[in-house]
Amino acid sequence: MNYRQLGNTELRVSEVSFGTWAIGGSWGRSSDEEALKGLQRAIEEGVNFFDTADVYGAGHAEELLAKATRGQEDRIHVATKFCRAGDIHDPGTYSEKEVRRYCEDSLKRLQRERIDLYQIHCPPLAVLKDGSVFEVLDKLQQEGKIRHYGVSVETVEEGQFCLGVPGLKALQVIFNLFRQKPAVELFPAAKEAGVGILARLPLASGLLTGKFTESTTFEADDHRSFNANGEQFNVGETFAGLPFPRGVELAGELAWIAEGRFTMAQAAMRWILEDANVTCVIPGFKNVRQVEDNLRAADARAFSAEELERLRSFYRDSVASHIRGPY
């Protein structure tokens, strides 16, 4: 396993780490037993960083992480997120009282005394500009409740604004072959500011596995069914904001990236790791097989300069105009 520095913090995290949205819920059926086996396998392979949130299965993902990492709190780093259990547009959600409650509840579920990275979970830009929530996070940090803090953002504009917050140490960003915009200006600026980048949804909700067809369907409790057009939250969180049929078509045009790189999914994540400004990629998983498949991305063959340019052109000419939602 290779490790990268999280911004200018003391943390070095595995370049392939894992998100836990899928094992918490909203990705169809999952098994706690299989999830725990997957977490254990990841740890055995050197993964030392996991991202979760208080709303993933109403805290269930945090509880699974507690079981998997018990006794390894100093070695296995956990990031979690807050605010979406309340009304994200209500200033009260970000009050000291509420943020403390969210934090304490997560600490109890995680069975930890300190959260390594505490992130605001895709708040509106107005909340970020108000700034009072960062003062609360500063207090929690001073008290030892959290080690570092960051923001999970939806747009480049939000990310750029956050880079001006003195205590900020990480940005979590949707970044994949269908969402290349952040790499142009945001990532270099984050590097300059000493802020780490967590690349979420690296496979565009599975589109970049190349396994879907236009007739593929998803379970009712899977966000790829109930949020396909942004019905519940930002459409960018589902299929990178692409209409599903168009996404399937575009994924087919990318099938060539798998040549000499195991699978299309592993190649897609290898592409993300080519960006030195990215701290880690955080794919999801439900079982051991998916963990093992995702980990192989780090061993996939690097892309040539010509291939990288081909992929930039593909995004610019064929993808960008089809993306919906704030970006």
Side-chain angles (χ1 to χ4, degrees), residues 218-262:
F218 303 94
E219 296 170 62
D221 63 346
D222 189 321
H223 77 101
R224 293 171 292 185
S225 175
F226 67 74
N227 195 62
N229 296 298
E231 293 90 341
Q232 299 295 321
F233 42 82
N234 181 15
V235 68
E237 299 286 346
T238 307
F239 304 129
L242 293 169
F244 183 67
R246 182 59 176 159
V248 170
E249 180 183 348
L250 291 168
E253 295 177 27
L254 282 175
W256 64 270
I257 66 174
E259 296 172 11
R261 296 188 182 90
F262 311 131

Side-chain angles (χ1 to χ4, degrees), residues 175-192:
F175 184 57
N176 55 55
L177 282 165
F178 290 152
R179 302 270 290 201
Q180 298 185 30
K181 181 180 174 182
V184 180
E185 295 182 359
L186 180 59
F187 288 3
K191 183 77 169 182
E192 180 69 21

Side-chain angles (χ1 to χ4, degrees), residues 43-223:
I43 292 169
E44 290 171 355
E45 291 297 319
V47 174
N48 72 342
F49 183 68
F50 296 92
D51 176 74
T52 189
D54 57 5
V55 291
Y56 293 170
H60 187 56
E62 291 179 326
E63 293 169 344
L64 289 172
L65 275 174
K67 291 180 180 179
T69 65
R70 187 173 295 126
Q72 305 178 79
E73 291 83 1
D74 291 337
R75 187 172 68 86
I76 307 300
H77 309 306
V78 170
T80 192
K81 300 185 286 292
F82 73 95
C83 85
R84 301 194 79 85
D87 178 352
I88 63 169
H89 299 285
D90 181 358
T93 298
Y94 308 91
S95 67
E96 182 171 344
K97 178 182 177 181
E98 285 300 285
V99 176
R100 282 186 179 279
R101 182 172 66 83
Y102 292 140
C103 183
E104 292 292 349
D105 287 348
S106 284
L107 284 168
K108 288 175 184 176
R109 287 189 292 264
L110 290 166
Q111 297 180 29
R112 290 178 174 238
E113 295 182 356
R114 179 176 65 175
I115 295 167
D116 294 301
L117 178 64
Y118 202 36
Q119 304 158 101
I120 315 173
H121 197 173
C122 300
L125 181 58
V127 167
L128 298 172
K129 288 186 173 180
D130 171 77
S132 58
V133 66
F134 295 115
E135 296 175 8
V136 178
L137 292 172
D138 285 332
K139 287 184 181 180
L140 294 175
Q141 186 178 43
Q142 291 164 8
E143 295 168 10
K145 299 287 186 182
I146 62 176
R147 194 169 185 172
H148 300 293
Y149 62 80
V151 182
S152 182
V153 298
E154 299 283 11
T155 71
V156 168
E157 181 185 8
E158 292 166 357
Q160 292 281 18
F161 177 83
C162 289
L163 294 180
V165 176
L168 188 94
K169 297 301 181 184
L171 285 177
Q172 188 174 140
V173 183
I174 301 174
F175 184 57
N176 55 55
L177 282 165
F178 290 152
R179 302 270 290 201
Q180 298 185 30
K181 181 180 174 182
V184 180
E185 295 182 359
L186 180 59
F187 288 3
K191 183 77 169 182
E192 180 69 21
V195 172
I197 296 292
L198 314 183
R200 75 178 187 272
L201 296 170
L203 301 179
S205 307
L207 277 177
L208 290 167
T209 65
K211 297 178 179 179
F212 297 160
T213 68
E214 287 191 25
S215 60
T216 299
T217 59
F218 303 94
E219 296 170 62
D221 63 346
D222 189 321
H223 77 101

